[in-house]
Amino acid sequence: MGTLFKNGTIITASDMIQADVLVEGEIVTLIGKNIPSRGHEVVNAKGKYLMPGGIDVHTHLDLPFGGTYSNDDFDVGHKAAAFGGTTMHIDFVIQPKGGSLHDGLKTWREKAKPAQIDYGFHMAVTDLRDDVLAEIPSMAAEGVTSLKLFMAYKGVFQVDDKTLYQAMRVAADHGMIVMVHAENGDVEEQLRLQLLAEGKTDPVWHYSSRPPEIEGEATNRAVVMSGMTGCALYVVHMTCEPAVDALRRGRAAGYPVMGETCVQYFHITRDKHLGAPGFEGAKYVCSPPVRNAEHHAILWQAVRDGTLQVVSTDHCDFWYEGGVGPWEKWSKKHNGGNWVEYEAQDPSYRRPGKELGKGNFAKIPNGLPGIEDRMMVMWHLGVNSGKISPTRFVELNCTNPARIFGCYPRKGTIAVGADADIVVWDPKKTHTLSAKTHHMRCDYNLYEGMKVKGMPVMVFQRGKKLVDGDAWHGSNGSGQFIARQTHAPVI
Ligand code: URP
Ligand code: ZN
Ligand code: ZN
C-alpha cells in the first residue's frame, strides 16, 4: 500500500500539471490522471500545489564561529526546515586548521547523527597543505563533491589567491565544483580597523567595512580564475550589483560560473534594519551585509534572467540576547560529543549570541536565521507579486540546487523514480512569521510580523510524512546523508 496524492497541481521547474502522484516505499512510482485508490492512503490535494521538497544548499548548523556556535543543529534545525517545506540541505564542513579534510568530515558526521531530513556536505578548505591537496579527490568518493573557499574572514577562514587557484585546478580535474564566499578580506580588514579607530562601533558600520565594491572585486577575481582553470564556480550569497555584473560578464564569456543569492537579500535593508536604533541592527549582521532596495531590484532581475540560479538561506542563527552563563561547562559537554539539547542539560545556560558585539560591531557573530522561512518568503515576495512564476520558484529553490550539486533527478523534482520528497502547498493559506511561532532556535525572526500568503501544509520525505499542519511526525536518525555525483552540469 502506498500514498496517493489526488487532485493536486504538480509544479516542476518546467510545468504545472493537474495529475495524481502515487508513492510506494520511498519513491514516486506513477504520475497520471485518475489513478485508482486501491487501498492506498489518499491525500486529497484539491486546491493545493504539489512541489518537490525544498533544497537549501547553504546552511551552517552548529557552526563554531564568532566566539560561539550557531544555534540550530541537525535536530532542531531540521525540524524548522521541514516546517518551512525544506526536505534537504547541504551544510559546510570546516576543515580544522592543521587537520585534514577527513577530520572535518568526521566531526560533521557526528553532528548529523540526529538528522531528521536529508542532508549533504560541502567541504570548506581552510588550510591547503600538499597533503590536503592530495586528499581532495577522496572527498568526491565520499559523495562530497563541492569545495568551499572563503576569500574573507582574515585570520579565521580566509585563503589566499594561490590556494584558491590550486584548489580550482584539482577540483576541475575531478569534476568537482568550487564555491566561494567572495569579499576581499584584506581590504575589509583595513576598512574595519579604520572605522573602529574612528569610534564607529555600532552595528550599522558593519556595512561600511564590507561595501559592494569589495564583494564585486572578489567575485570578479574568482570568476576570472574559473575561466582560466575551467573549474565550475558557484558564488555564494551574492548581494549587489558589482558582484552580479562580474558573474554576468563571466557567463557571457562562456566561463563555467554560477551564483546564488539568499532570501534575506531581497528584503532586509541597511537603512531600516542594520541601521535600526541602539543595538537592534545586530540582528541583521551577516556577511556580505544586507543592501538597500536598489540592489534588491538587481537581484530580482538576476534570478529572473538566469544570471543567478539558486536562492538559499546561509542559515547561521545566533541568539540576539544570549547569555554567557557557564560557557566553559557547556563547551566541555559539547566537545565531548553530547548532542542532547544543551539547555535541557543546564537550564540556567544560554549560549552567547549577538550581544558579544556590543560596543564593537566586528565582534557581532555574523549570520542570520532563515531555513524555515525561505520558501514562504520567496513565494510571498516573488510569486504573489508576479516577479517570478511558480515554476521558476521551484527551479530556484528545489531543482537547480539538485542539478548544480549532483543529486538530480533523485532530488529536486517530482518524477517517476525520484525520491518522494513532496510538499503540499496551500497557495491561499496565510501565516504571520514570528519568533513566537517559528521552530528555529532563535529569539528573533528576520521577517517578524510579515503576513505571507502561501505555505506548506503537509511535508513528506521519501514517502514518510514529516509535517501535517502544526503536527511533527519526523524522528531523529531518519534523515539520510545524500552522496552527490561529480561532473554535475553547469547551468
Ligand atoms: O554572515 C554569514 N554569512 N555567516 C555565515 C558564514 C558565511 O559567511 O557564510
Ligand atoms: Zn559566507
Ligand atoms: Zn554561509
Side-chain angles (χ1 to χ4, degrees):
M1 180 176 122
T3 306
L4 181 60
F5 294 82
K6 281 202 86 68
N7 310 315
T9 300
I10 303 168
I11 313 182
T12 66
S14 56
D15 301 299
M16 291 177 72
I17 51 162
Q18 280 202 313
D20 300 339
V21 179
L22 179 62
V23 172
E24 290 171 295
E26 298 196 339
I27 61 170
V28 173
T29 53
L30 191 60
I31 297 175
K33 294 277 187 198
N34 304 316
I35 299 176
S37 302
R38 268 198 210 122
H40 301 305
E41 188 181 327
V42 173
V43 174
N44 185 1
K46 191 167 169 40
K48 313 280 192 305
Y49 293 132
L50 300 174
M51 299 180 191
I55 304 178
D56 189 346
V57 294
H58 188 157
T59 64
H60 303 278
L61 298 182
D62 197 27
L63 174 72
F65 193 43
T68 181
Y69 281 74
S70 63
N71 270 356
D72 279 317
D73 55 22
F74 285 75
D75 177 11
V76 181
H78 279 190
K79 198 168 162 181
F83 270 106
T86 289
T87 55
M88 178 179 166
H89 72 112
I90 311 184
D91 208 76
F92 291 91
V93 173
I94 308 286
Q95 176 203 3
K97 286 265 162 66
S100 69
L101 304 181
H102 278 95
D103 291 339
L105 197 52
K106 190 166 168 239
T107 303
W108 256 257
R109 280 192 174 132
E110 274 299 310
K111 289 178 191 280
K113 278 189 172 157
Q116 314 223 38
I117 63 170
D118 288 353
Y119 60 94
F121 292 133
H122 310 291
M123 177 56 66
V125 178
T126 62
D127 187 6
L128 191 62
R129 309 175 306 266
D130 285 349
D131 56 312
V132 176
L133 258 182
E135 198 188 358
I136 287 174
S138 67
M139 286 296 108
E142 299 278 2
V144 178
T145 54
S146 39
L147 303 178
K148 161 87 171 281
L149 292 106
F150 290 88
M151 301 169 81
Y153 301 128
K154 199 167 170 59
V156 185
F157 298 144
Q158 185 174 328
V159 298
D160 59 14
D161 289 350
K162 173 181 157 190
T163 301
L164 178 55
Y165 184 77
Q166 286 181 326
M168 279 187 172
R169 289 195 56 176
V170 176
D173 282 349
H174 294 87
M176 298 170 80
I177 181 170
V178 162
M179 311 165 80
V180 288
H181 170 135
E183 288 182 293
N184 185 322
D186 288 359
V187 177
E188 179 278 327
E189 183 187 44
Q190 293 302 304
L191 295 172
R192 167 170 34 98
L193 294 175
Q194 179 71 34
L195 289 160
L196 292 173
E198 291 167 4
K200 293 171 175 164
T201 57
D202 285 346
V204 73
W205 296 108
H206 174 73
Y207 185 96
S208 310
S209 71
R210 312 180 93 109
E213 288 82 354
I214 71 165
E215 189 184 333
E217 185 280 325
T219 305
N220 187 61
R221 206 168 356 125
V223 164
V224 170
M225 283 194 224
S226 163
M228 292 172 72
T229 57
C231 178
L233 173 73
Y234 179 91
V235 184
V236 301
H237 52 38
M238 296 177 65
T239 72
C240 60
E241 187 169 23
V244 171
D245 281 351
L247 191 73
R248 194 174 274 127
R249 278 196 305 275
R251 289 174 69 80
Y255 298 168
V257 294
M258 297 169 282
E260 69 169 21
T261 188
C262 307
V263 57
Q264 59 270 21
Y265 293 120
F266 291 109
H267 183 71
I268 308 294
T269 62
R270 173 202 177 273
D271 290 356
K272 181 173 165 214
H273 298 95
L274 196 56
F279 191 62
E280 190 75 11
K283 291 178 176 173
Y284 309 100
V285 167
C286 61
S287 295
V290 295
R291 314 286 186 196
N292 281 341
E294 63 270 24
H295 293 288
H296 300 180
I298 300 284
L299 296 178
W300 281 118
Q301 178 57 29
V303 292
R304 269 199 304 269
D305 68 22
T307 304
L308 297 180
Q309 293 74 36
V310 172
V311 176
S312 70
T313 63
D314 193 10
H315 179 82
C316 186
D317 57 351
F318 301 97
W319 297 121
Y320 174 56
E321 278 294 349
V324 283
W327 159 246
E328 283 184 23
K329 186 175 160 196
W330 179 82
S331 174
K332 275 184 201 137
K333 280 182 186 163
H334 181 81
N335 292 337
N338 188 342
W339 293 103
V340 181
E341 288 245 0
Y342 57 87
E343 283 170 342
Q345 295 166 34
D346 182 352
S348 69
Y349 176 74
R350 291 201 91 198
R351 185 186 293 206
K354 298 279 186 182
E355 81 286 354
L356 288 171
K358 279 188 180 154
N360 181 347
F361 71 82
K363 293 194 171 157
I364 300 169
N366 283 206
L368 306 181
I371 201 166
E372 183 168 356
D373 299 330
R374 176 182 68 137
M375 306 272 279
M376 289 179 279
V377 173
M378 277 310 289
W379 184 273
H380 186 68
L381 298 180
V383 179
N384 290 345
S385 70
K387 288 190 178 75
I388 54 172
S389 65
T391 53
R392 183 64 177 157
F393 170 89
V394 166
E395 193 165 33
L396 290 166
N397 290 289
C398 317
T399 314
N400 282 351
R403 285 176 178 146
I404 293 170
F405 290 101
C407 53
Y408 181 87
R410 176 179 177 190
K411 299 289 189 189
T413 192
I414 297 182
V416 171
D419 278 3
D421 299 344
I422 296 176
V423 176
V424 182
W425 188 271
D426 186 342
K428 295 212 175 84
K429 197 170 160 92
T430 59
H431 173 61
T432 302
L433 299 172
S434 173
K436 292 195 189 83
T437 50
H438 73 203
H439 300 81
M440 295 177 286
R441 187 153 55 197
C442 194
D443 53 352
Y444 70 98
N445 185 292
L446 288 184
Y447 312 97
E448 186 67 41
M450 180 190 278
K451 192 172 171 193
V452 295
K453 189 170 171 211
M455 65 180 294
V457 287
M458 291 177 104
V459 178
F460 292 77
Q461 169 136 73
R462 286 179 280 102
K464 183 182 175 306
K465 186 159 58 183
L466 294 183
V467 172
D468 189 350
D470 293 335
W472 177 247
H473 295 271
S475 57
N476 286 127
S478 60
Q480 283 182 6
F481 172 73
I482 304 298
R484 296 176 291 112
Q485 308 290 317
T486 55
H487 298 95
V490 175
I491 56 178

